[in-house]
Amino acid sequence: MSGFTVKYNELTAKEFILLWETVWGQAPSLEQTELAMKNTLFRVSVYDEDKIIAMARMIGDMGLDYYIKDVAVRPEYQHMGIGKMLMTELLKFINDNGVNGTDIFVELSAMPDKIPFYEKFGFSANEAQRLQMMYRVKQIIRRGAVWSEK
Ligand SMILES: CC(C)(COP(=O)(O)OP(=O)(O)OC[C@H]1O[C@@H](n2cnc3c(N)ncnc32)[C@H](O)[C@@H]1OP(=O)(O)O)[C@@H](O)C(=O)NCCC(=O)NCCS
């Protein structure tokens, strides 16, 4: 882990896309990602000199619910303790910002082979099923106003 630079809330949309493509393939658009970065509660990113090598981010309402998203370490930098550091930073963010003495619900989605990694930090799978869809945004622009199609 030593020799790398850790940054807080500086992860850019371009860096996010670059790392996403390295780890998962086809990335979301720049416009969508810029909006997502702007509205993310907390971002952690790690660099080897100027190269982005890891990231993680937290979305949520700060009071009751948090959701951990996009924990990723470049393949050639995995198994060096970087993923553990990312998770430690995310959980520290919750601890630093939550109401003292309360319990806060923290969720994430993980592929089965990654569950043991998250169990190390106290997560456990429950019986709830993950429901998902890719919602297609269709807006009609009329004289500058945006209308949503019914
Ligand atoms: C999952 C991921 C973030 C782990 O990052 P990493 O930097 O390799 O993890 P670390 O080196 O910090 O490992 C921390 C601990 O978790 C363990 N671990 C790491 N990956 C694991 C896995 N897939 N299953 C079980 N344990 C794992 C390590 O052995 C280590 O254990 P230790 O503390 O007892 O020594 C990384 O493999 C990754 O980015 N994968 C591709 C993207 C991805 O799938 N992200 C998760 C989305 S659900």
Side-chain angles (χ1 to χ4, degrees), residues 115-130:
I115 290 174
F117 169 73
Y118 291 110
E119 284 175 340
K120 287 179 180 290
F121 306 97
F123 288 87
S124 58
N126 66 11
E127 69 284 359
Q129 295 293 301
R130 181 184 183 207

Side-chain angles (χ1 to χ4, degrees), residues 13-14 16-17 21 26-36:
K14 283 188 177 154
F16 179 97
I17 288 170
E21 284 172 345
Q26 170 132 30
S29 72
L30 183 61
E31 188 181 9
Q32 264 186 305
T33 308
E34 280 173 343
L35 193 58

Side-chain angles (χ1 to χ4, degrees), residues 41-106:
L41 288 181
F42 181 58
R43 289 167 277 161
V44 196
S45 45
V46 185
Y47 303 80
D48 182 358
E49 298 189 343
D50 289 340
K51 182 170 70 174
I52 175 90
I53 59 167
M55 66 178 176
R57 66 191 186 105
M58 182 81 82
I59 58 178
D61 61 22
M62 311 272 292
L64 295 173
D65 292 288
Y66 282 102
Y67 205 100
I68 289 174
K69 294 287 297 174
D70 308 322
V71 179
V73 180
R74 260 183 98 99
E76 64 269 35
Y77 292 87
Q78 291 175 7
H79 308 295
M80 296 170 68
I82 298 174
K84 186 176 187 173
M85 184 279 290
L86 294 172
M87 291 301 296
T88 305
E89 292 290 350
L90 293 177
L91 296 176
K92 181 176 182 301
F93 176 81
I94 298 174
N95 202 59
D96 289 348
N97 291 282
V99 178
N100 200 20
T102 61
D103 292 321
I104 302 185
F105 197 49
V106 189

Side-chain angles (χ1 to χ4, degrees), residues 3-23:
F4 302 138
T5 307
V6 182
K7 293 184 183 174
Y8 304 97
N9 296 321
E10 290 188 36
L11 176 70
T12 66
K14 283 188 177 154
E15 289 168 345
F16 179 97
I17 288 170
L18 195 65
L19 188 53
W20 180 297
E21 284 172 345
T22 309
V23 176

